[in-house]
Amino acid sequence: MKFRHFCIFAATLFTTFLFAQNPNRNGGGQITVSGKAIDADTSEPLEYATLVLQSLDDPNQVTGGVTDQNGNFSVDAPAGKYNIRLEYISYRPYTLNNQNLTADKDLGTIKLAIDVAQLDAVEVVGEKTTVEVRLDKKVYNIGKDLTTSGASVSDALGNVPSVTVDVEGAISLRGNENVRILINGKPSAMAGFGSTDALKQLPADAIEKVEVITSPSARYDAEGTAGILNIVLKKEKTLGFNGSVNLNAGYPSTSQVNTNLNLRTNNFNLFTTLGYFYREPPGNANFDNYYYNSKFSRITEDRDMFRRNKGFNVNLGMEYFLTEKSSITGSFFTRFSDERDGTENNTVRYISDVVDSKTLREEVENEDDNTYQFSLNYTNNFNDEGHKLTADFQYSTDNEEINTNIAENQFFPTEEIINLERVFETEKETEYLVQADYVLPMGEAQFEAGYRGSFEKNENDYNLDTYNPNTDSYETNYSLSNLFTYEENVNAIYSQYGNKYGKFSFLLGLRLENTQLKGKVTSELDDEALIDTLGFNFDPDFNKKYLNLFPTVNVTYELGDNENVTLGYNRRINRPRGWFINPFPSRSSRANIFQGNPDLNPAFADAFDLGYLKRWDKLTLTSSVYYQRETDAFERIQTETGQQTSDGIDIIRTIPINLATNQRYGGEVGVMYSAIEWLQFNGSFNFFKFDTEGEYEGVDYGASNTSWFSRLSAKVKLPSKIDWQTNGFYMGPRENSQTKSEGMLSIDMALSKDILDDNATISMNVSDLLNSRKRRSYTESYNDAGQLSFTSDSEFQWRQRQFTVSFIYRFNQPKNQRGERGKRGNDGNGGDEGGEFEG
């Protein structure tokens, strides 16, 4: 069981009392008692353990202090005779009686063992979500969130302060979508390749904590101008065989089964996670477009989306303890999914407010996706002071086969075939990761250095067949069929140094990254014909290289035991992903297409962050203000291609471009309040403004926008071990250079009850209670002469209101002890890349 967050309050209050009893502690000859407290089983430092010095000369004189985040303590006291006692809740205390202290005394490393008899009496702190502020991040230890029981990791992230998840599942940090997603400190196939779709297939119950890293230190990859979200998954640390089974079902049709099993001995730890899911989430969208220089004056589209997603995933691994200080961990992860997505698009075309024609477009996509990942980790903790070496190797591959049938038919004023297409697409992605990190403590200071090599390759083989009514057969469209290969290779070295002087801590780092972006288009067309067909000039065979330095600075000043101020600066990069580079148009619509831009260059950002944290007895306040300036920022714009469909509809293209600059200002505040034992509140508010400058093909796309989002969660403990939780979220209106989006409100609600002697929990929840999680937008586009060319009103709902019932059963793993004690050596989570300088 994790006691750290309960101990923060208890130990601090106790220590304050001790110091209050000793107003003369600085008088006379002074001595210092120092040392370090660690867990006897795991050798992990014990933060907030309490050292008590009871004077034998004056029984009313008591002096004390608490250990820091590395388990170290240092207490000043007048020279004299003392009883020494080191305490940590639920552990057997360490005592030294009748000590005559006439000079400084170093007690060395003290190992505290668990007092098993006390475990049942300790409060279950895992019920509450708590926050820890580190030099370079905020760590949200996920408590019992009822609204995400039976939900996915993607859903759970929507309840983390500073994070938003839009209606399509896109994840943003402080309103910025360019966020790097890591699993257990590393890029992972479990998080998907270049998208967040895979997060919808992982259960939210698998999360132990989420690290919101808005000012990443040099140990982290420089990718992601918004920052990093590191999702640390649970892995049982209790000795013996234990596990849990989680079942859930809901409406619209959804079901999921997850099993976590763990066998831990003194020599090894064997762990596995098995999961199966089935979902049929419906969605819908509608568009109302007006055209000002086109055959049609108005076109409306009503889309109904039907999806059937099912799949199986397994994660199997073993950690073997080579010595008391070192271990090697190997794991294998695979996921198989079978997806069938269908879209029906009813289109009505007008000429001068008179209906000209009506069509129905049906698109059915079948996708088989197989993912494999093998990971190997070596960890050597040279001593208990944090001297550490880790080495990692990871290989991941993902294979997708997509077959799509598209049929568009006119049914007014006549019935005829407009278009029939068949798309055959295979996509293979591979990634190699090699990494080594070294941590060397030097008293209060710490030095780190490391290397990371990441090598990714994406091959997209796309074949388009179009129906020819003259021959009554399908023929290959060689102008759009292609093989697109994209590679991203990054080699990086870093070094950083941290130290602490009194109440002031700092962490300085520098990272050097060499990036290579390679792309190659293989097509039946020559380069000139290819450029003419796709509508813009680009190099079909490009090879770009970038060598960049990324400095980081993070400082903390402790205003008090429960109050601090942090300041961070870092430089980041946003590398374009494969689908942003691929120049071939999408086929989801004949008239509205998306094309990648091979000439897209990386964007770079400099970010500053000033934070403040204050803890009271029942209240935790976190806040920050931030500023970011990004050059060559990505912007998606809509333009006319000058081309028309066979029936005279202007084709509108969405394309990503590099704009000149993007400046973002913002502030956020978060509150965690436990008013009384049966009531808890969590709330956050984030306000931001951005200014964009730049033009493309003579059109100014500069814009300024102010927006905000807020969330509030209330949890009530009812009689009969029933919990009730309600979460509310509101995203304020937003706009960019072309599009304005309305505000969006959503509410989630859940009930749960512990049964079977607290070994099981049953819960019921409803996601999007008001069925209001919809994106409503209005877009205006102008031509290069500054004239309005078209407008678009749209509404999009990716997933409708969802009802879910969940049941979780734990064996040999009581709820108040699961995953918290008996840990030894490296837990294999790899939550931090390298060491952790806390200051």
Side-chain angles (χ1 to χ4, degrees):
M1 194 179 76
K2 243 178 210 177
F3 301 104
R4 173 180 296 177
H5 313 295
F6 172 78
C7 295
I8 292 175
F9 168 70
T12 304
L13 182 62
F14 182 50
T15 305
T16 302
F17 171 80
L18 293 177
F19 273 71
Q21 303 302 307
N22 184 25
N24 299 316
R25 61 186 178 274
N26 292 322
Q30 292 289 106
I31 56 92
T32 299
V33 179
S34 59
K36 181 173 183 175
I38 66 172
D39 187 302
D41 294 325
T42 70
S43 297
E44 285 197 342
L46 296 177
E47 182 184 3
Y48 297 104
T50 304
L51 180 74
V52 181
L53 299 179
Q54 174 72 53
S55 175
L56 298 179
D57 300 322
D58 181 1
N60 294 322
Q61 180 176 309
V62 181
T63 303
V66 296
T67 58
D68 62 17
Q69 292 165 328
N70 293 316
N72 297 313
F73 59 85
S74 180
V75 175
D76 296 328
K81 293 183 178 180
Y82 290 91
N83 287 336
I84 301 175
R85 184 179 179 91
L86 183 65
E87 300 175 332
Y88 192 67
I89 293 178
S90 81
Y91 282 70
R92 291 192 294 271
Y94 168 86
T95 58
L96 279 176
N97 295 325
N98 299 317
Q99 299 295 304
N100 186 15
L101 303 180
T102 58
D104 293 347
K105 186 175 183 65
D106 184 358
L107 298 179
T109 299
I110 300 173
K111 297 182 179 180
L112 297 184
I114 296 174
D115 188 347
V116 178
Q118 295 186 29
L119 285 179
D120 292 336
V122 179
E123 178 186 353
V124 183
V125 296
E127 299 289 305
K128 299 179 182 179
T129 296
T130 57
V131 60
E132 303 170 30
V133 175
R134 308 286 179 87
L135 267 171
D136 56 350
K137 61 192 166 190
K138 293 184 180 74
V139 182
Y140 292 92
N141 296 281
I142 303 301
K144 184 181 178 184
D145 191 336
L146 309 184
T147 60
T148 59
S149 181
S152 68
V153 167
S154 182
D155 296 322
L157 289 177
N159 291 333
V160 175
S162 305
V163 180
T164 56
V165 182
D166 72 8
V167 293
E168 295 179 89
I171 298 170
S172 299
L173 182 58
R174 292 174 170 175
N176 188 344
E177 290 186 9
N178 184 226
V179 55
R180 179 73 156 167
I181 306 293
L182 303 178
I183 299 288
N184 296 334
K186 302 175 183 64
S188 173
M190 300 173 75
F193 288 85
S195 75
T196 58
D197 290 343
L199 295 179
K200 301 172 187 175
Q201 301 174 13
L202 291 174
D205 294 325
I207 300 177
E208 177 179 333
K209 61 185 176 181
V210 176
E211 298 177 343
V212 179
I213 311 173
T214 53
S215 184
S217 64
R219 75 167 68 94
Y220 293 100
D221 182 10
E223 173 69 31
T225 55
I228 295 172
L229 287 179
N230 182 30
I231 303 167
V232 180
L233 303 180
K234 294 176 182 175
K235 196 181 71 173
E236 184 58 43
K237 308 172 183 73
T238 307
L239 290 173
F241 179 69
N242 46 70
S244 64
V245 178
N246 193 341
L247 311 173
N248 68 73
Y251 176 83
S253 182
T254 181
S255 60
Q256 188 164 322
V257 180
N258 289 287
T259 302
N260 296 288
L261 304 173
N262 194 92
L263 176 63
R264 193 177 190 102
T265 72
N266 289 324
N267 296 320
F268 66 87
N269 180 36
L270 183 65
F271 54 92
T272 182
T273 300
L274 306 173
Y276 173 81
F277 65 91
Y278 180 94
R279 302 187 186 99
E280 292 183 357
N284 60 83
N286 59 74
F287 300 83
D288 192 352
N289 302 331
Y290 282 86
Y291 299 85
Y292 296 91
N293 298 290
S294 176
K295 171 184 175 181
F296 298 104
S297 58
R298 181 189 180 194
I299 299 177
T300 64
E301 296 183 20
D302 288 307
R303 301 181 186 178
D304 287 317
M305 294 170 285
F306 308 94
R307 297 185 290 271
R308 186 215 64 195
N309 305 329
K310 60 181 179 179
F312 174 79
N313 62 76
V314 57
N315 185 38
L316 176 65
M318 185 178 75
E319 177 182 13
Y320 182 76
F321 305 110
L322 301 172
T323 66
E324 285 291 329
K325 302 295 184 181
S326 64
S327 68
I328 186 168
T329 303
S331 65
F332 174 76
F333 170 80
T334 184
R335 177 176 53 241
F336 306 97
S337 64
D338 177 12
E339 302 181 11
R340 181 181 177 88
D341 296 347
T343 302
E344 291 185 355
N345 188 354
N346 281 282
T347 302
V348 181
R349 303 176 179 87
Y350 298 83
I351 298 179
S352 300
D353 296 329
V354 177
V355 175
D356 174 79
S357 58
K358 296 180 180 180
T359 63
L360 174 64
R361 178 183 174 90
E362 295 179 289
E363 178 179 342
V364 179
E365 177 183 286
N366 293 285
E367 177 180 337
D368 290 325
D369 188 357
N370 300 325
T371 300
Y372 304 91
Q373 178 176 287
F374 173 75
S375 301
L376 193 63
N377 166 268
Y378 169 76
T379 299
N380 192 338
N381 296 287
F382 295 104
N383 56 37
D384 296 330
E385 306 301 321
H387 189 195
K388 184 178 182 179
L389 172 67
T390 60
D392 293 273
F393 170 79
Q394 184 172 284
Y395 167 75
S396 306
T397 181
D398 182 77
N399 299 282
E400 295 182 23
E401 292 186 2
I402 306 171
N403 298 321
T404 307
N405 292 305
I406 302 172
E408 187 164 2
N409 299 295
Q410 179 176 287
F411 58 89
F412 176 84
T414 61
E415 293 186 3
E416 60 178 292
I417 297 175
I418 300 296
N419 185 49
L420 294 176
E421 293 181 345
R422 295 187 307 197
V423 178
F424 303 94
E425 184 175 6
T426 61
E427 184 172 2
K428 181 178 181 179
E429 300 181 66
T430 58
E431 178 180 353
Y432 293 90
L433 174 69
V434 181
Q435 180 175 328
D437 298 279
Y438 177 73
V439 183
L440 177 64
M442 298 179 292
E444 291 283 353
Q446 182 167 292
F447 170 78
E448 298 181 42
Y451 162 81
R452 168 183 281 198
S454 177
F455 312 97
E456 302 178 35
K457 184 176 182 180
N458 181 310
E459 295 178 296
N460 188 286
D461 194 347
Y462 183 91
N463 188 82
L464 173 64
D465 290 347
T466 305
Y467 178 73
N468 186 340
N470 297 322
T471 62
D472 191 29
S473 62
Y474 284 89
E475 299 175 354
T476 300
N477 184 333
Y478 290 105
S479 63
L480 293 180
S481 297
N482 69 94
L483 173 63
F484 180 68
T485 304
Y486 180 67
E487 296 182 47
E488 178 185 294
N489 302 318
V490 181
N491 286 279
I493 56 173
Y494 79 90
S495 178
Q496 62 183 20
Y497 174 79
N499 207 339
K500 181 177 182 180
Y501 297 95
K503 297 182 177 182
F504 176 78
S505 305
F506 68 86
L507 184 62
L508 308 177
L510 186 63
R511 188 177 186 91
L512 176 67
E513 291 193 351
N514 181 63
T515 300
Q516 181 185 39
L517 305 179
K518 297 173 61 178
K520 180 177 179 59
V521 176
T522 303
S523 170
E524 293 292 330
L525 304 179
D526 59 32
D527 291 354
E528 184 176 344
L530 186 63
I531 291 171
D532 183 65
T533 298
L534 297 179
F536 58 92
N537 187 33
F538 69 98
D539 183 0
D541 188 0
F542 62 87
N543 187 350
K544 302 178 181 180
K545 296 181 180 180
Y546 307 88
L547 183 64
N548 304 101
L549 284 172
F550 299 92
T552 62
V553 179
N554 289 287
V555 299
T556 297
Y557 184 75
E558 300 173 7
L559 300 174
D561 290 339
N562 295 302
E563 185 178 17
N564 64 52
V565 176
T566 59
L567 176 65
Y569 161 77
N570 65 94
R571 181 168 173 79
R572 310 288 294 166
I573 185 174
N574 182 8
R575 304 181 186 94
R577 305 302 300 177
W579 69 287
F580 258 40
I581 295 290
N582 194 331
F584 290 87
S586 64
R587 305 301 296 175
S588 58
S589 170
R590 291 189 302 133
N592 294 279
I593 63 174
F594 177 88
Q595 276 185 273
N597 181 3
D599 283 335
L600 205 61
N601 293 313
F604 295 89
D606 294 277
F608 298 85
D609 187 290
L610 177 64
Y612 172 76
L613 174 136
K614 173 71 173 177
R615 301 182 196 271
W616 290 270
D617 291 352
K618 297 180 179 180
L619 175 68
T620 299
L621 171 70
T622 60
S623 61
S624 64
V625 292
Y626 51 88
Y627 166 77
Q628 181 185 85
R629 184 177 186 274
E630 185 173 357
T631 58
D632 285 336
F634 298 168
E635 183 78 10
R636 279 177 281 193
I637 63 170
Q638 289 181 304
T639 64
E640 292 181 305
T641 62
Q643 301 174 344
Q644 293 184 332
T645 63
S646 58
D647 48 348
I649 305 175
D650 289 341
I651 298 177
I652 305 301
R653 175 178 65 188
T654 299
I655 183 174
I657 63 171
N658 289 114
L659 281 184
T661 60
N662 182 321
Q663 297 188 83
R664 183 180 295 266
Y665 318 78
E668 62 182 350
V669 60
V671 174
M672 296 182 180
Y673 184 49
S674 299
I676 46 184
E677 183 179 354
W678 54 269
L679 179 63
Q680 300 172 27
F681 283 105
N682 288 341
S684 63
F685 177 81
N686 194 303
F687 174 87
F688 57 90
K689 176 184 180 181
F690 68 82
D691 295 311
T692 302
E693 299 177 357
E695 63 176 40
Y696 179 72
E697 294 184 347
V699 178
D700 184 5
Y701 289 100
S704 181
N705 173 237
T706 299
S707 188
W708 59 278
F709 63 87
S710 181
R711 60 169 47 86
L712 178 65
S713 174
K715 181 179 175 183
V716 179
K717 289 184 177 295
L718 301 174
S720 302
K721 295 185 178 181
I722 297 176
D723 291 338
W724 172 29
Q725 182 173 330
T726 302
N727 292 346
F729 175 80
Y730 181 78
M731 168 64 77
R734 294 158 293 154
E735 66 177 281
N736 58 23
S737 59
Q738 292 182 304
T739 301
K740 296 180 180 179
S741 298
E742 298 180 9
M744 182 178 64
L745 171 70
S746 65
I747 296 176
D748 302 330
M749 188 175 294
L751 290 168
S752 82
K753 176 176 172 56
D754 293 330
I755 58 177
L756 302 179
D757 296 328
D758 292 345
N759 287 317
T761 303
I762 186 170
S763 62
M764 295 173 286
N765 69 68
V766 54
S767 174
D768 194 14
L769 178 68
L770 304 178
N771 203 37
S772 56
R773 198 170 292 162
K774 303 176 181 179
R775 183 181 62 210
R776 298 181 177 93
S777 302
Y778 175 74
T779 299
E780 290 183 348
S781 180
Y782 294 82
N783 58 28
D784 53 10
Q787 298 174 326
L788 186 64
S789 58
F790 74 89
T791 65
S792 177
D793 264 310
S794 64
E795 180 181 283
F796 184 88
Q797 184 177 27
W798 179 254
R799 187 176 65 181
Q800 299 176 8
R801 177 172 44 217
Q802 179 79 51
F803 298 90
T804 308
V805 177
S806 301
F807 173 81
I808 182 170
Y809 180 77
R810 298 169 289 271
F811 54 92
N812 297 333
Q813 187 190 46
K815 185 180 69 170
N816 65 337
Q817 296 180 27
R818 60 175 183 256
E820 303 302 340
R821 291 292 172 241
K823 184 170 68 171
R824 169 186 170 183
N826 174 40
D827 64 8
N829 281 334
D832 298 300
E833 300 180 333
E836 181 81 39
F837 179 73
E838 304 294 353

